Amino acid sequence: MTDNLFQSYALNDTLTLKNRILMAPLTRCMADDELVPTQAMADYYGRRAEAGLIISEAVIIRPDGQGYPNTPGLFTPAQIDGWRVVTDAVHKSGGKIFAQLWHTGRVAHPHFYSEKWGVNDEVIAPSAVGFEGTVPRMRELNYQTPRAVTAVDIEQLVADYAQAAANAIDAGFDGVEIHGANGYLIDQFLHFDSNQRSDEYGQTAENMSRFPLAVVDAIVARIGNDRTALRVSPGAYVHIEADARDKEVFDYLLPELEKRDLAYLHIGIFDDAMSFEHLGGSASSYVRTTYNKTLVGVGSYTAETGSEAISDDKFDLLAIGRPFISNPDYVERVREGKELVTYSEEMLASLV
């Protein structure tokens, strides 16, 4: 039984979702060369508007945040206009959509931005600690050793996140989800593997949480806490090595986030069956014991297992990823008990 997935859910006094099924953020690399959303993207999101909430693919807040080809931005007028076509398509079909705000930090690459946007030929991160590997879809590009950001850099980044949030509202989004997960910039501040600073942004849980909380607070001040959400990865599993001390950081961070009464908190994980010794189990179970506001679960759940998890109070809302790519009518298929089209990498390029 999946009846609970089709109950409406009030995020707050401002936003009520028509069901508990969210479309998870899914990078599709469909923007044009100026990182402007395309008509194909408007068609893609519009077809999936039966979700209670669509969380957009990750959206770059400024040029040096790009680490993948053709990922959309929210820092130029043309990009804002392009997203307005997308949000109009979603709203016309009765849906709601949040923009996921993104800076990739040490897994950015100057190939994408140094010449195109005229910015410095460098990568920035909390510390000058590189990530070993190559860029997805462009394996000829090796990741570089980043430059550790200064206090002035951090101040500018906070301002840029807030401006991107304001741009998102201008583009018609119903709110924003800050991407603080999956080993990208904000998450890099929250883990000892990537944050080796000795100043007020490193070494202790409070210091390591300082920049992420500053971003949250700046966005809340700009667009309201009711339209602000956050994704976190307390269990390091991609782009970062795990460290048992990371739990101390999230033990501090999560209660601080709860005080801010955000629209929701979203777990960043590919498979929520993963267990982390220092967290005492799965990432979602750990967060649920520490954070009492609206929680979004994700990570290889089916409608049935997600519905059961909601019934067991493991989280409140279910985000579905790849099945939404191969099934634009995912919500209808689940409601009517229809068989789902199986996702495969081979079909990916042709699916909108």
Side-chain angles (χ1 to χ4, degrees), residues 214-284:
V215 171
V216 170
D217 289 342
I219 290 177
V220 166
R222 197 71 176 268
I223 68 170
N225 64 316
D226 56 339
R227 298 187 181 276
T228 303
L230 176 67
R231 196 178 204 196
V232 293
S233 291
Y237 71 104
V238 62
H239 300 139
I240 286 180
E241 294 297 322
D243 187 308
R245 294 174 295 170
D246 292 346
K247 182 176 182 293
E248 302 168 13
V249 180
F250 286 89
D251 284 348
Y252 173 83
L253 175 68
L254 293 172
E256 288 296 316
L257 292 172
E258 188 168 321
K259 295 175 186 176
R260 280 133 172 107
D261 198 18
L262 302 178
Y264 61 81
L265 192 67
H266 184 185
I267 304 298
I269 194 75
F270 293 152
D271 186 347
D272 200 32
M274 292 179 66
S275 182
F276 300 89
E277 183 176 356
H278 65 288
L279 299 181
S282 70
S284 64

Side-chain angles (χ1 to χ4, degrees), residues 196-208:
Q196 299 180 17
R197 301 176 72 96
S198 58
D199 62 0
E200 66 269 33
Y201 294 96
Q203 294 189 314
T204 70
E206 182 176 1
N207 285 350
M208 294 168 69

